[in-house]
Amino acid sequence: MSKFTAPGLSTESADEVAGILQERLSALNDLHLTLKHIHWNVVGANFIGVHEMIDPQVELVRGYADTVAERIATLGSSPKGTAKAIETDRSWSDYSIGRDTAQAHLGALDLVYEGFITSHRDAIEKIGEIDPITEDVLIGQTAELEKFQWFVRAHLESYTGELSHAGASSEKEAADAAR
């Protein structure tokens, strides 16, 4: 329970926002690890382009986690950045693709971004009524993550505008379809 918070917020509101942000912090930490995993495990003809495209995404997501953690602290709560926190807060499956082609990883990563961005938007909707400052932070992050998803999709899009893995409902299905 918060003993203090940002001016203009009640401690109850701050605790609610911090709770939502804690789940987002765990999701950001998990996304950072997933991106690094892809960076280390991508192979094939487009290896270097994808390998180098992922690193800026890793760094930005790590920075987003730091921003969210600092916002939690600003609201008077204690951010949890441990592996245990990720496991506790996780409502998503662990990334399932190991060493594989660039296309396979990008197909799977598109689904990761789809789920992550959707859940970030859900958090924006919940927080928007309570704290427009935190809402603004998440909106800015979401815009950049949507741009990264566009980068990923550009590798998967055909000349007709269709994604190679359209209709896939799991990372494995997306990877198989994108290969």
Short mmCIF file of all heavy atoms in Angstrom, two decimals, residues 21-57:
data_model
loop_
_atom_site.label_atom_id
_atom_site.label_comp_id
_atom_site.label_asym_id
_atom_site.label_seq_id
_atom_site.Cartn_x
_atom_site.Cartn_y
_atom_site.Cartn_z
N LEU A 21 0.47 -1.42 -13.94
CA LEU A 21 1.82 -1.22 -14.44
C LEU A 21 2.75 -2.38 -14.07
O LEU A 21 3.67 -2.69 -14.84
CB LEU A 21 2.41 0.09 -13.91
CG LEU A 21 1.85 1.36 -14.54
CD1 LEU A 21 2.49 2.59 -13.90
CD2 LEU A 21 2.04 1.38 -16.05
N GLN A 22 2.54 -3.01 -12.93
CA GLN A 22 3.38 -4.14 -12.55
C GLN A 22 3.25 -5.27 -13.57
O GLN A 22 4.25 -5.86 -13.98
CB GLN A 22 3.05 -4.65 -11.15
CG GLN A 22 3.88 -5.86 -10.73
CD GLN A 22 5.38 -5.60 -10.80
OE1 GLN A 22 5.88 -4.66 -10.19
NE2 GLN A 22 6.12 -6.43 -11.54
N GLU A 23 2.04 -5.55 -14.01
CA GLU A 23 1.85 -6.58 -15.03
C GLU A 23 2.53 -6.16 -16.33
O GLU A 23 3.16 -6.97 -17.00
CB GLU A 23 0.35 -6.82 -15.25
CG GLU A 23 0.04 -8.01 -16.16
CD GLU A 23 0.08 -7.67 -17.64
OE1 GLU A 23 -0.10 -6.48 -18.00
OE2 GLU A 23 0.31 -8.58 -18.45
N ARG A 24 2.45 -4.88 -16.67
CA ARG A 24 3.11 -4.37 -17.88
C ARG A 24 4.63 -4.45 -17.74
O ARG A 24 5.32 -4.76 -18.70
CB ARG A 24 2.70 -2.91 -18.17
CG ARG A 24 1.24 -2.71 -18.49
CD ARG A 24 0.81 -3.26 -19.87
NE ARG A 24 0.77 -4.70 -19.93
CZ ARG A 24 1.10 -5.46 -20.99
NH1 ARG A 24 1.51 -4.93 -22.10
NH2 ARG A 24 1.00 -6.76 -20.95
N LEU A 25 5.15 -4.17 -16.54
CA LEU A 25 6.59 -4.29 -16.30
C LEU A 25 7.05 -5.73 -16.52
O LEU A 25 8.05 -5.97 -17.20
CB LEU A 25 6.93 -3.83 -14.88
CG LEU A 25 8.39 -4.01 -14.45
CD1 LEU A 25 9.34 -3.25 -15.37
CD2 LEU A 25 8.56 -3.56 -13.00
N SER A 26 6.32 -6.68 -15.99
CA SER A 26 6.68 -8.08 -16.20
C SER A 26 6.60 -8.44 -17.68
O SER A 26 7.47 -9.16 -18.20
CB SER A 26 5.78 -8.99 -15.37
OG SER A 26 6.07 -8.84 -14.00
N ALA A 27 5.58 -7.93 -18.37
CA ALA A 27 5.44 -8.21 -19.80
C ALA A 27 6.59 -7.59 -20.59
O ALA A 27 7.13 -8.20 -21.51
CB ALA A 27 4.10 -7.71 -20.30
N LEU A 28 6.99 -6.37 -20.23
CA LEU A 28 8.12 -5.73 -20.90
C LEU A 28 9.42 -6.49 -20.65
O LEU A 28 10.22 -6.68 -21.57
CB LEU A 28 8.26 -4.27 -20.43
CG LEU A 28 7.26 -3.30 -21.04
CD1 LEU A 28 7.17 -2.03 -20.20
CD2 LEU A 28 7.63 -2.97 -22.48
N ASN A 29 9.63 -6.92 -19.42
CA ASN A 29 10.84 -7.70 -19.12
C ASN A 29 10.85 -9.00 -19.90
O ASN A 29 11.88 -9.42 -20.42
CB ASN A 29 10.95 -7.96 -17.61
CG ASN A 29 11.43 -6.74 -16.86
OD1 ASN A 29 12.13 -5.88 -17.41
ND2 ASN A 29 11.06 -6.63 -15.60
N ASP A 30 9.69 -9.64 -20.02
CA ASP A 30 9.60 -10.87 -20.79
C ASP A 30 9.82 -10.59 -22.28
O ASP A 30 10.53 -11.35 -22.96
CB ASP A 30 8.24 -11.53 -20.57
CG ASP A 30 8.16 -12.90 -21.22
OD1 ASP A 30 8.83 -13.82 -20.72
OD2 ASP A 30 7.44 -13.04 -22.23
N LEU A 31 9.25 -9.50 -22.79
CA LEU A 31 9.44 -9.15 -24.20
C LEU A 31 10.91 -8.88 -24.49
O LEU A 31 11.45 -9.33 -25.51
CB LEU A 31 8.58 -7.94 -24.57
CG LEU A 31 8.69 -7.46 -26.03
CD1 LEU A 31 8.32 -8.56 -27.02
CD2 LEU A 31 7.81 -6.21 -26.22
N HIS A 32 11.58 -8.18 -23.59
CA HIS A 32 13.02 -7.93 -23.75
C HIS A 32 13.78 -9.25 -23.88
O HIS A 32 14.62 -9.42 -24.77
CB HIS A 32 13.53 -7.10 -22.56
CG HIS A 32 14.98 -7.28 -22.28
ND1 HIS A 32 15.44 -8.02 -21.22
CD2 HIS A 32 16.08 -6.85 -22.93
CE1 HIS A 32 16.76 -8.03 -21.25
NE2 HIS A 32 17.17 -7.32 -22.26
N LEU A 33 13.48 -10.19 -23.01
CA LEU A 33 14.17 -11.49 -23.04
C LEU A 33 13.83 -12.26 -24.31
O LEU A 33 14.69 -12.92 -24.90
CB LEU A 33 13.82 -12.30 -21.80
CG LEU A 33 14.36 -11.74 -20.48
CD1 LEU A 33 13.74 -12.48 -19.29
CD2 LEU A 33 15.87 -11.80 -20.44
N THR A 34 12.58 -12.19 -24.73
CA THR A 34 12.16 -12.87 -25.96
C THR A 34 12.88 -12.30 -27.17
O THR A 34 13.39 -13.05 -28.02
CB THR A 34 10.63 -12.76 -26.14
OG1 THR A 34 9.99 -13.44 -25.05
CG2 THR A 34 10.17 -13.36 -27.46
N LEU A 35 12.96 -10.98 -27.24
CA LEU A 35 13.66 -10.34 -28.36
C LEU A 35 15.14 -10.75 -28.38
O LEU A 35 15.70 -11.03 -29.45
CB LEU A 35 13.52 -8.83 -28.29
CG LEU A 35 12.13 -8.28 -28.63
CD1 LEU A 35 12.01 -6.83 -28.19
CD2 LEU A 35 11.82 -8.45 -30.11
N LYS A 36 15.77 -10.78 -27.22
CA LYS A 36 17.18 -11.17 -27.16
C LYS A 36 17.33 -12.64 -27.57
O LYS A 36 18.27 -13.00 -28.28
CB LYS A 36 17.75 -10.91 -25.76
CG LYS A 36 19.24 -10.71 -25.75
CD LYS A 36 19.65 -9.54 -26.67
CE LYS A 36 21.14 -9.39 -26.71
NZ LYS A 36 21.58 -8.37 -27.66
N HIS A 37 16.41 -13.49 -27.14
CA HIS A 37 16.41 -14.90 -27.52
C HIS A 37 16.35 -15.03 -29.04
O HIS A 37 17.11 -15.81 -29.64
CB HIS A 37 15.23 -15.61 -26.86
CG HIS A 37 15.02 -17.01 -27.33
ND1 HIS A 37 15.70 -18.08 -26.80
CD2 HIS A 37 14.22 -17.51 -28.31
CE1 HIS A 37 15.32 -19.19 -27.41
NE2 HIS A 37 14.42 -18.86 -28.33
N ILE A 38 15.48 -14.27 -29.67
CA ILE A 38 15.37 -14.31 -31.13
C ILE A 38 16.68 -13.85 -31.76
O ILE A 38 17.19 -14.48 -32.69
CB ILE A 38 14.18 -13.44 -31.61
CG1 ILE A 38 12.86 -14.08 -31.16
CG2 ILE A 38 14.21 -13.25 -33.12
CD1 ILE A 38 11.65 -13.16 -31.29
N HIS A 39 17.22 -12.77 -31.25
CA HIS A 39 18.50 -12.22 -31.73
C HIS A 39 19.59 -13.30 -31.73
O HIS A 39 20.37 -13.39 -32.67
CB HIS A 39 18.87 -11.04 -30.83
CG HIS A 39 20.22 -10.46 -31.06
ND1 HIS A 39 20.48 -9.53 -32.06
CD2 HIS A 39 21.40 -10.66 -30.42
CE1 HIS A 39 21.75 -9.19 -32.01
NE2 HIS A 39 22.33 -9.85 -31.03
N TRP A 40 19.64 -14.10 -30.68
CA TRP A 40 20.67 -15.14 -30.56
C TRP A 40 20.38 -16.39 -31.39
O TRP A 40 21.29 -17.16 -31.69
CB TRP A 40 20.81 -15.58 -29.10
CG TRP A 40 21.35 -14.55 -28.17
CD1 TRP A 40 22.29 -13.60 -28.45
CD2 TRP A 40 20.99 -14.37 -26.81
NE1 TRP A 40 22.53 -12.83 -27.33
CE2 TRP A 40 21.74 -13.28 -26.30
CE3 TRP A 40 20.09 -14.99 -25.96
CZ2 TRP A 40 21.63 -12.83 -25.00
CZ3 TRP A 40 19.97 -14.54 -24.66
CH2 TRP A 40 20.75 -13.47 -24.18
N ASN A 41 19.12 -16.62 -31.74
CA ASN A 41 18.73 -17.90 -32.35
C ASN A 41 18.29 -17.81 -33.80
O ASN A 41 17.92 -18.82 -34.39
CB ASN A 41 17.62 -18.56 -31.52
CG ASN A 41 18.18 -19.18 -30.27
OD1 ASN A 41 18.81 -20.22 -30.32
ND2 ASN A 41 17.97 -18.53 -29.14
N VAL A 42 18.33 -16.64 -34.39
CA VAL A 42 17.92 -16.49 -35.78
C VAL A 42 19.06 -16.96 -36.70
O VAL A 42 20.23 -16.70 -36.44
CB VAL A 42 17.51 -15.03 -36.08
CG1 VAL A 42 18.67 -14.07 -35.99
CG2 VAL A 42 16.82 -14.93 -37.42
N VAL A 43 18.69 -17.69 -37.75
CA VAL A 43 19.65 -18.18 -38.75
C VAL A 43 19.03 -18.02 -40.13
O VAL A 43 17.86 -17.71 -40.27
CB VAL A 43 20.03 -19.67 -38.51
CG1 VAL A 43 20.72 -19.86 -37.17
CG2 VAL A 43 18.81 -20.57 -38.62
N GLY A 44 19.85 -18.27 -41.15
CA GLY A 44 19.34 -18.29 -42.52
C GLY A 44 19.75 -17.09 -43.34
O GLY A 44 20.55 -16.26 -42.92
N ALA A 45 19.16 -17.03 -44.53
CA ALA A 45 19.55 -16.04 -45.53
C ALA A 45 19.42 -14.60 -45.05
O ALA A 45 20.23 -13.76 -45.41
CB ALA A 45 18.73 -16.25 -46.80
N ASN A 46 18.43 -14.30 -44.28
CA ASN A 46 18.22 -12.93 -43.80
C ASN A 46 18.76 -12.72 -42.39
O ASN A 46 18.37 -11.76 -41.71
CB ASN A 46 16.73 -12.59 -43.83
CG ASN A 46 16.18 -12.58 -45.23
OD1 ASN A 46 16.84 -12.12 -46.15
ND2 ASN A 46 14.99 -13.11 -45.40
N PHE A 47 19.66 -13.59 -41.96
CA PHE A 47 20.19 -13.54 -40.60
C PHE A 47 20.64 -12.15 -40.18
O PHE A 47 20.17 -11.60 -39.19
CB PHE A 47 21.34 -14.54 -40.43
CG PHE A 47 22.23 -14.21 -39.26
CD1 PHE A 47 21.82 -14.50 -37.97
CD2 PHE A 47 23.45 -13.57 -39.45
CE1 PHE A 47 22.62 -14.17 -36.88
CE2 PHE A 47 24.25 -13.25 -38.37
CZ PHE A 47 23.84 -13.55 -37.08
N ILE A 48 21.58 -11.57 -40.90
CA ILE A 48 22.22 -10.34 -40.42
C ILE A 48 21.22 -9.18 -40.34
O ILE A 48 21.23 -8.41 -39.39
CB ILE A 48 23.48 -9.96 -41.23
CG1 ILE A 48 24.33 -8.95 -40.46
CG2 ILE A 48 23.13 -9.45 -42.61
CD1 ILE A 48 24.92 -9.49 -39.17
N GLY A 49 20.34 -9.06 -41.32
CA GLY A 49 19.35 -7.99 -41.30
C GLY A 49 18.43 -8.10 -40.10
O GLY A 49 18.15 -7.11 -39.41
N VAL A 50 17.94 -9.32 -39.82
CA VAL A 50 17.04 -9.52 -38.69
C VAL A 50 17.80 -9.41 -37.38
O VAL A 50 17.33 -8.77 -36.43
CB VAL A 50 16.30 -10.88 -38.82
CG1 VAL A 50 15.51 -11.20 -37.56
CG2 VAL A 50 15.39 -10.86 -40.04
N HIS A 51 18.98 -10.01 -37.32
CA HIS A 51 19.82 -9.94 -36.13
C HIS A 51 20.05 -8.48 -35.73
O HIS A 51 19.87 -8.11 -34.57
CB HIS A 51 21.14 -10.65 -36.43
CG HIS A 51 22.10 -10.75 -35.30
ND1 HIS A 51 21.98 -11.68 -34.30
CD2 HIS A 51 23.21 -10.03 -35.02
CE1 HIS A 51 22.98 -11.54 -33.45
NE2 HIS A 51 23.75 -10.54 -33.86
N GLU A 52 20.38 -7.65 -36.70
CA GLU A 52 20.65 -6.24 -36.42
C GLU A 52 19.38 -5.42 -36.22
O GLU A 52 19.39 -4.41 -35.52
CB GLU A 52 21.52 -5.63 -37.52
CG GLU A 52 22.93 -6.19 -37.47
CD GLU A 52 23.85 -5.59 -38.52
OE1 GLU A 52 23.39 -4.81 -39.38
OE2 GLU A 52 25.05 -5.93 -38.48
N MET A 53 18.26 -5.84 -36.78
CA MET A 53 16.99 -5.15 -36.59
C MET A 53 16.47 -5.34 -35.17
O MET A 53 15.83 -4.45 -34.60
CB MET A 53 15.95 -5.67 -37.59
CG MET A 53 14.57 -5.02 -37.44
SD MET A 53 13.35 -5.68 -38.61
CE MET A 53 12.96 -7.28 -37.87
N ILE A 54 16.76 -6.48 -34.58
CA ILE A 54 16.22 -6.81 -33.26
C ILE A 54 16.90 -6.02 -32.14
O ILE A 54 16.25 -5.61 -31.18
CB ILE A 54 16.33 -8.33 -32.99
CG1 ILE A 54 15.47 -9.11 -33.99
CG2 ILE A 54 15.97 -8.69 -31.56
CD1 ILE A 54 13.99 -8.92 -33.86
N ASP A 55 18.20 -5.79 -32.22
CA ASP A 55 18.91 -5.13 -31.11
C ASP A 55 18.34 -3.77 -30.71
O ASP A 55 18.18 -3.51 -29.52
CB ASP A 55 20.41 -5.03 -31.38
CG ASP A 55 21.18 -6.11 -30.66
OD1 ASP A 55 20.61 -6.78 -29.76
OD2 ASP A 55 22.37 -6.30 -30.97
N PRO A 56 18.00 -2.88 -31.64
CA PRO A 56 17.38 -1.62 -31.20
C PRO A 56 16.03 -1.84 -30.50
O PRO A 56 15.68 -1.09 -29.59
CB PRO A 56 17.20 -0.83 -32.50
CG PRO A 56 18.16 -1.42 -33.46
CD PRO A 56 18.30 -2.86 -33.08
N GLN A 57 15.33 -2.88 -30.91
CA GLN A 57 14.07 -3.20 -30.26
C GLN A 57 14.33 -3.65 -28.82
O GLN A 57 13.62 -3.25 -27.90
CB GLN A 57 13.31 -4.27 -31.05
CG GLN A 57 12.88 -3.79 -32.42
CD GLN A 57 12.18 -4.85 -33.24
OE1 GLN A 57 11.50 -5.72 -32.70
NE2 GLN A 57 12.32 -4.78 -34.55
#
